[in-house]
Amino acid sequence: MAEKPKRLPPTMRIRNYFLTGLIICAPLAITAYLTWSFIMWVDGWVKPYVPRVYNPDTYLPFSVPGFGLVAALIFITIVGFLTANIIGRTLIDVGESLLDRMPIVRSIYKGLKQIFQTVLAEQSNSFKQAGLIEYPRTGLWSIVFLATDTKGEIGHRLEERGDDTVSVFLPTTPNPTSGYLLFVDRKDVIILDMSVEEAAKMIISAGLVAPDYQPKLKALAEAHRKDEPRPAA
């Protein structure tokens, strides 16, 4: 006769209920707080520049949250539309030529522009794969994000040594936005099947949150697809 499961004491059950509720409520609360803080931050920057006639706060007895964010998105889209034609491109070139005459501002603008072009351009393959490298010493492994083949003078100098290197970004825990740029020999990088988002979650959680991985099932599925009969031409 099977034994009945042992009932937990009331204090232990209350503790488990609390932890379960915390797991559900904490991410929701933090997400809501960060979203709200971002909206209010954008509103604080944009609303002062919106003409009063177009600002709904002028006609309502309360402030409309998110209006500044919507206005910023519309403004950025209009700028992108105007830049796509010859007149807009000419105005941008004139503005950039003025910035080129300002020593400090020129360096900041060009650096930021290059970063945004690399990250946001549709043709860019930046951070499309996650990998493993031995760092900071042999036997210790770290997750990295593969950026691109090593370019410029660094790529040329390393090619002279006979090295085939890739540029990788090694993020830190728990803040994956900070880290180190490393140039690693391609053969020393183990490419992972997990996505960059899954790898970032693992880094933020200090390894507590790991994506599911079943290599045997994946291999069987790939073998099954290869064995499927192909339709006649």
Side-chain angles (χ1 to χ4, degrees):
M1 188 173 179
E3 295 183 2
K4 292 184 179 181
K6 190 180 294 184
R7 290 178 60 86
L8 295 175
T11 54
M12 186 65 69
R13 280 184 288 170
I14 293 174
R15 173 182 173 276
N16 291 342
Y17 294 154
F18 171 77
L19 293 177
T20 302
L22 184 64
I23 291 173
I24 296 174
C25 295
L28 292 175
I30 294 173
T31 302
Y33 172 76
L34 294 177
T35 303
W36 181 260
S37 299
F38 176 75
I39 291 174
M40 299 307 294
W41 178 75
V42 175
D43 282 356
W45 273 89
V46 176
K47 278 189 176 182
Y49 299 99
V50 177
R52 290 178 57 84
V53 66
Y54 299 116
N55 193 338
D57 295 352
T58 307
Y59 312 101
L60 297 175
F62 56 87
S63 177
V64 179
F67 176 76
L69 178 61
V70 174
L73 293 176
I74 294 174
F75 175 76
I76 293 172
T77 304
I78 293 175
V79 170
F81 170 75
L82 295 177
T83 306
N85 56 54
I86 298 178
I87 298 176
R89 185 65 257 175
T90 303
L91 294 175
I92 295 296
D93 291 340
V94 172
E96 289 185 343
S97 65
L98 294 176
L99 290 175
D100 284 339
R101 301 174 185 176
M102 305 178 185
I104 299 177
V105 176
R106 173 181 59 196
S107 301
I108 297 174
Y109 172 75
K110 286 187 175 180
L112 291 174
K113 182 179 179 182
Q114 187 173 7
I115 291 174
F116 275 90
Q117 284 178 335
T118 302
V119 173
L120 299 179
E122 292 182 358
Q123 68 271 20
S124 175
N125 291 322
S126 300
F127 296 165
K128 290 295 180 67
Q129 287 181 308
L132 284 176
I133 65 170
E134 286 189 292
Y135 183 91
R137 65 169 176 80
T138 303
L140 296 181
W141 296 87
S142 299
I143 295 177
V144 295
F145 300 145
L146 276 70
T148 181
D149 294 339
T150 306
K151 300 177 180 179
E153 181 183 358
I154 295 177
H156 176 70
R157 296 292 185 182
L158 294 176
E159 283 182 2
E160 289 180 341
R161 293 166 45 93
D163 297 332
D164 181 19
T165 59
V166 292
S167 303
V168 300
F169 176 71
L170 192 153
T172 57
T173 301
N175 179 17
T177 59
S178 65
Y180 306 95
L181 171 63
L182 305 175
F183 305 103
V184 187
D185 202 322
R186 192 184 303 272
K187 68 177 185 299
D188 293 332
V189 182
I190 300 177
I191 304 299
L192 300 176
D193 290 331
M194 70 174 67
S195 65
V196 173
E197 291 77 11
E198 291 173 335
K201 291 178 183 177
M202 192 171 183
I203 293 168
I204 294 171
S205 66
L208 297 177
V209 178
D212 293 333
Y213 182 60
Q214 296 175 316
K216 292 183 178 180
L217 294 179
K218 183 178 179 181
L220 289 174
E222 292 179 354
H224 178 70
R225 283 197 300 269
K226 291 180 181 179
D227 293 339
E228 287 182 351
R230 298 181 179 178

